[in-house]
Amino acid sequence: MKTITSKQTNKKRKQSKIDDFLNRIVCGNAVEIMEQIPDGTVDLIITSPPYNLKNSTGNGMKDGRGGKWANAALQKGYSHHNDCMPHDEYVRWQRKCLTEMMRLIPENGAIFYNHKWRVQGGLLQDRQDILQGFPVRQVIIWRRKGGFNFNPGYFVPTYEVIYLIAKSGFKLSPKANGYGDVWEFTQEMNNEHPAAFPINLIDRIISSTNAEIILDPFMGSGTTALSAINFGRNYIGIDISPEYCKMAEGRIQRHIAQQRLI
Ligand SMILES: C[S@@+](CC[C@H](N)C(=O)[O-])C[C@H]1O[C@@H](n2cnc3c(N)ncnc32)[C@H](O)[C@@H]1O
């Protein structure tokens, strides 16, 4: 991948306007693309980064050689990311991503950052190391319906977490706080992407805000864009995989065509 130096980035950022990114899927590295977007121009970020699932002490996936996730779609990682970084490197990378995201949102902006807690080496890995110092306002539990394919030694895990990281002026849309902080949505099962969001989950988030411009720097199959379209908002999607970017573009086109028919 072509590396962009910080000097080039600052120059590019000065030259670029947010309009250049609106309603586009950009194929590239999340940090490098975000570095080109001007400060404070994205109202809301919703994203699910790779969880580094393949770097596991054994109770998660282990190179597809058994463990709870042995037949899960993600056992091979993503098409252009193997999801198996050394832990410290992974934490540094995610903190860099969050730092860029914080630069992009204005004083009333927010980030919904989806992740997963897991037990590693007998201790809870709750992602504090990634989030330390960022303004986490609340943790939402996303309760999935059921699970799949499990080692009989484990109860089927059925939840993920969504960190609401918000700047001080962020407010929910009227009545949205009534949803509470445990949300139940069935996981997506009808998508070629190995880890797609269910669209209802993203509809819940977007409709709970007044955001006009919504970014997903790990856009995968484009679910955040589809949901933004549902509510007449603008999206920006980034993904490193040309395959998934193509998938997202196809889904967006079909979604817009379906909406025209309604
Ligand atoms: C959990 S998936 C996101 C799925 C998405 N929420 C959906 O609904 O389809 C994480 C995505 O991050 C992408 N990815 C991995 N490394 C990346 C990087 N450095 N920059 C941008 N995208 C990356 C992967 O290709 C994968 O599609």
Side-chain angles (χ1 to χ4, degrees), residues 26 28-31 46-51 74 78-82 93 97 114 188 191 193-198 202 216-224 238-241 244 247 251:
V26 186
N29 183 302
V31 172
I46 305 172
T47 203
S48 177
Y51 294 164
L74 260 181
Y78 297 100
S79 75
H80 287 69
H81 177 83
N82 70 5
W93 176 45
C97 290
N114 171 215
E188 177 61 46
N191 192 312
H193 190 285
F197 281 140
I202 311 307
D216 187 341
F218 298 99
M219 177 67 98
S221 61
T223 315
T224 302
I238 304 170
D239 202 281
I240 201 156
S241 158
Y244 300 152
M247 203 184 270
R251 276 183 92 203

Side-chain angles (χ1 to χ4, degrees), residues 13-250:
R13 194 186 299 157
K14 273 190 197 135
Q15 288 166 349
S16 71
K17 293 190 262 0
I18 189 65
D19 291 3
D20 302 338
F21 295 91
L22 291 189
N23 303 315
R24 281 185 57 199
I25 300 291
V26 186
C27 189
N29 183 302
V31 172
E32 289 176 6
I33 305 298
M34 284 194 285
E35 280 172 348
Q36 297 173 26
I37 303 178
D39 299 0
T41 52
V42 169
D43 303 315
L44 176 69
I45 299 178
I46 305 172
T47 203
S48 177
Y51 294 164
N52 214 23
L53 280 181
K54 291 196 69 186
N55 174 342
S56 168
T57 58
N59 79 331
M61 285 188 295
K62 217 171 181 190
D63 300 319
R65 284 180 281 129
K68 294 187 291 191
W69 304 90
N71 297 319
L74 260 181
Q75 68 168 296
K76 295 192 182 74
Y78 297 100
S79 75
H80 287 69
H81 177 83
N82 70 5
D83 216 20
C84 191
M85 294 164 87
H87 181 74
D88 290 353
E89 194 183 313
Y90 174 73
V91 170
R92 274 198 302 277
W93 176 45
Q94 283 306 302
R95 287 182 63 78
K96 202 163 178 195
C97 290
L98 282 169
T99 303
E100 272 308 298
M101 293 186 219
M102 288 297 290
R103 182 185 62 75
L104 293 182
I105 58 170
E107 283 311 307
N108 61 354
I111 302 165
F112 285 75
Y113 180 75
N114 171 215
H115 219 301
K116 203 171 194 160
W117 295 341
R118 62 181 182 175
V119 174
Q120 290 287 279
L123 290 173
L124 178 65
Q125 191 177 72
D126 62 2
R127 312 299 173 173
Q128 277 295 103
D129 44 7
I130 296 176
L131 288 150
Q132 203 169 18
F134 291 102
V136 175
R137 187 181 284 191
Q138 193 166 21
V139 178
I140 296 159
I141 303 294
W142 164 26
R143 191 196 191 297
R144 300 185 311 226
K145 288 208 178 121
F148 43 89
N149 167 46
F150 280 90
N151 181 318
Y154 294 82
F155 293 103
V156 175
T158 53
Y159 75 94
E160 299 196 11
V161 293
I162 300 171
Y163 292 92
L164 166 55
I165 304 166
K167 288 199 181 167
S168 56
F170 174 73
K171 283 203 174 63
L172 295 171
S173 56
K175 298 193 180 151
N177 66 354
Y179 288 127
D181 59 1
V182 179
W183 298 356
E184 192 162 331
F185 290 105
T186 305
Q187 59 272 34
E188 177 61 46
M189 286 179 285
N190 239 336
N191 192 312
E192 283 172 59
H193 190 285
F197 281 140
I199 192 160
N200 298 349
L201 173 70
I202 311 307
D203 284 352
R204 161 74 57 87
I205 297 173
I206 293 183
S207 65
S208 297
T209 77
N210 301 313
E212 290 296 329
I213 298 180
I214 301 157
L215 165 71
D216 187 341
F218 298 99
M219 177 67 98
S221 61
T223 315
T224 302
L226 263 58
S227 178
I229 292 166
N230 285 345
F231 296 97
R233 319 279 176 97
N234 294 290
Y235 64 85
I236 303 169
I238 304 170
D239 202 281
I240 201 156
S241 158
E243 250 171 82
Y244 300 152
C245 289
K246 214 168 148 199
M247 203 184 270
E249 274 158 12

